[in-house]
Amino acid sequence: MGNDFNPFQMAQAQLKAACDKLGLDPGYYEILKEPLRVLTVNIPVKMDDGTTKTFIGFRSQHNDAVGPTKGGIRFHPDVTLDEVKALSMWMTFKCGVVGIPYGGGKGGVICNPKELSKSELERLSRNYFRAIAQIVGPEKDIPAPDVYTTGQIMAWMMDEFSKVKQFNAPGVITGKPLIIGGSRGRNEATARGCMYVIVEAAAKIGLSLEGATVAIQGYGNAGRIAAELLSGLGCKIVAVSDSRGAAYNPAGIDPWAIGQFKDTTGTVKGYPGSEDIGNAGVLTLPCDILIPAALENQITAAVAPEVKAKLVAEAANGPTTPEADKILFENGIMVLPDILANAGGVTVSYFEWVQNLMGYYWTEEEVNDKLHQVMVQAFSNVYNMYQRYGDIDMRTAAYLVAVERVAQAMEVRGWV
Ligand code: GLU
């Protein structure tokens, strides 16, 4: 991340543009520009060598006018408070775009999980969750996985919360393993939702998916499964990358084979028959569809003029800066913004929470059908807004849909 990049200022700028466009009373922006509540915790953890190390964690609850706050927990060495605040704001609007009854929240712990043993990771996860236990809960704030956090980590956190509260509380967190109340289809949901909106957008811009070339930055849960799903639709994956490097092959890459390669070597870099064009090189390749599926601040004003894709689908949160947005828009590139393109994850998290509260579990087909309906409807609402104005990009259109909804909830509650 560049030193001058502040994701929270970026989120505020996006929000301001939407509030202005909607002509809202300034009171709405005043409430929404900051999270309602932020908790910073110091987390002591006994390391395997007997020493004690103290980690810093955050939980930001941006807005709960529509419902309890919802959003993942990120474990990453570069986590900052402003990043977590921005991510929590994006969650408010992500839930607004897909119309699920949640506000936005986000958590983060400054750590490098790749350097922790499994037992250290477990202690860190449990201690962090115990430290934020008073402000989370099935009716208050429901965390989930995000960058470098897994179903196993969700299981430890849910167990810790259940012990603190002295009852089994599967609804406190989503993205859990199936056996303790996870939902079928949750693991694939972010990528699947992304695929659904790509299908809708491709039809609008006249792009045939059969043979369409795809470049993906990031080969974690979202990027990897998106590659598999799009390949299943006939797309050709020409490049994928991760934090260590990239694999580019214009003849096409088998997403399952390179996934197995990453499982054994830890990276996609060095995959046989591919060229390493670097993690950032993937963004400017000639291709039809570009999927940033890593971190924030990737498509910057310096990168945007070089983007050659016809469609950009943001599986990551915040990959494109506002300056870059303008350039992509002027160049006629359609961007499916994060709050729409990766909303499949939180949508199936919502389904998981509903199933937990009912104690009744759905088939994978039911989950995927419901997800499909939600994503198609959300795309259509955003696309209609985009067409209604005629002079805005899809991100602004998505914000207009979302902010309008959150503002309505604040109005009827009497906040403004
Ligand atoms: N971390 C994911 C996101 O950014 C999922 C959040 C959730 O499922 O609550 O959307």
Side-chain angles (χ1 to χ4, degrees):
M1 241 184 257
N3 289 338
D4 51 352
F5 171 73
N6 183 316
F8 188 56
Q9 283 167 5
M10 169 171 147
Q12 286 179 323
Q14 293 165 337
L15 167 67
K16 184 78 171 61
C19 290
D20 289 349
K21 198 89 194 169
L22 286 168
L24 288 181
D25 179 299
Y28 291 100
Y29 178 72
E30 284 306 306
I31 297 178
L32 290 168
K33 73 176 196 213
E34 288 287 336
L36 292 177
R37 195 174 300 108
V38 176
L39 181 63
T40 300
V41 290
N42 247 320
I43 317 157
V45 176
K46 274 263 162 63
M47 306 304 280
D48 291 346
D49 64 5
T51 60
T52 298
K53 208 170 157 186
T54 301
F55 296 85
I56 294 172
F58 309 104
R59 183 74 190 170
S60 169
Q61 299 175 339
H62 174 256
N63 188 280
D64 59 5
V66 172
T69 48
K70 180 93 192 75
I73 295 167
R74 173 172 298 200
F75 281 5
H76 195 280
D78 298 334
V79 163
T80 64
L81 177 56
D82 271 355
E83 181 191 33
V84 173
K85 283 165 67 176
L87 289 160
S88 71
M89 190 191 294
W90 288 328
M91 285 309 302
T92 298
F93 302 126
K94 194 181 296 185
C95 295
V97 170
V98 285
I100 55 177
Y102 289 136
K106 201 78 173 200
V109 177
I110 307 170
C111 67
N112 187 351
K114 291 178 183 168
E115 287 169 2
L116 298 173
S117 71
K118 191 175 175 193
S119 58
E120 287 167 344
L121 191 61
E122 175 173 353
R123 288 192 290 276
L124 174 61
S125 305
R126 287 184 182 278
N127 295 1
Y128 166 70
F129 215 68
R130 207 165 54 245
I132 64 164
Q134 291 314 315
I135 65 159
V136 298
E139 287 86 23
K140 275 190 197 172
D141 181 17
I142 305 115
D146 196 75
V147 173
Y148 292 158
T149 51
T150 59
Q152 173 63 78
I153 291 175
M154 300 304 108
W156 289 324
M157 291 179 172
M158 183 280 243
D159 183 66
E160 193 64 26
F161 185 83
S162 298
K163 281 179 178 153
V164 169
K165 297 289 173 186
Q166 299 276 295
F167 57 84
N168 198 27
V172 69
I173 203 161
T174 58
K176 302 178 294 293
L178 278 186
I179 189 73
I180 52 163
S183 175
R184 290 187 171 76
R186 174 62 186 86
N187 195 40
E188 301 80 27
T190 306
R192 183 172 284 278
C194 190
M195 171 190 75
Y196 289 149
V197 290
I198 287 174
V199 169
E200 297 300 304
K204 296 288 185 204
I205 63 169
L207 172 68
S208 162
L209 290 179
E210 185 63 46
T213 50
V214 180
I216 302 180
Q217 186 199 43
Y219 218 56
N221 173 279
R224 180 170 174 168
I225 301 173
E228 295 172 2
L229 291 172
L230 288 171
S231 175
L233 293 182
C235 295
K236 183 160 86 172
I237 313 301
V238 291
V240 305
S241 70
D242 58 34
S243 58
R244 296 190 205 169
Y248 170 54
N249 185 345
I253 292 171
D254 178 335
W256 292 273
I258 198 165
Q260 273 172 9
F261 180 82
K262 185 174 163 85
D263 287 340
T264 31
T265 62
T267 175
V268 296
K269 179 179 160 155
Y271 179 64
S274 75
E275 185 193 337
D276 179 13
I277 51 167
N279 194 14
V282 171
L283 303 172
T284 52
L285 275 182
C287 64
D288 296 311
I289 303 172
L290 170 63
I291 305 183
L295 293 169
E296 302 93 84
N297 195 28
Q298 300 301 306
I299 307 180
T300 59
V303 172
E306 306 303 320
V307 171
K308 296 169 192 72
K310 300 183 180 74
L311 184 64
V312 176
E314 297 182 336
N317 289 311
T320 311
T321 65
E323 298 74 36
D325 264 334
K326 286 198 195 90
I327 299 167
L328 297 177
F329 185 61
E330 278 159 15
N331 290 348
I333 299 169
M334 180 179 270
V335 177
L336 296 174
D338 45 11
I339 58 172
L340 171 66
N342 70 37
V346 72
T347 301
V348 177
S349 274
Y350 166 54
F351 298 159
E352 178 172 334
W353 177 78
V354 168
Q355 293 171 80
N356 292 151
L357 299 189
M358 288 194 299
Y360 177 70
Y361 289 84
W362 309 342
T363 63
E364 187 161 350
E365 208 186 349
E366 279 176 278
V367 170
N368 290 346
D369 281 353
K370 287 181 170 50
L371 173 63
H372 186 243
Q373 278 176 35
V374 169
M375 297 307 297
V376 169
Q377 185 63 56
F379 177 86
S380 154
N381 293 344
V382 172
Y383 192 77
N384 289 343
M385 189 67 94
Y386 165 76
Q387 288 211 306
R388 191 187 315 159
Y389 280 86
D391 61 345
I392 56 173
D393 59 14
M394 287 286 280
R395 186 183 318 280
T396 311
Y399 267 81
L400 297 187
V401 170
V403 172
E404 206 163 43
R405 192 177 139 85
V406 178
Q408 262 176 30
M410 296 202 296
E411 200 214 325
V412 292
R413 279 177 182 260
W415 292 8
V416 178

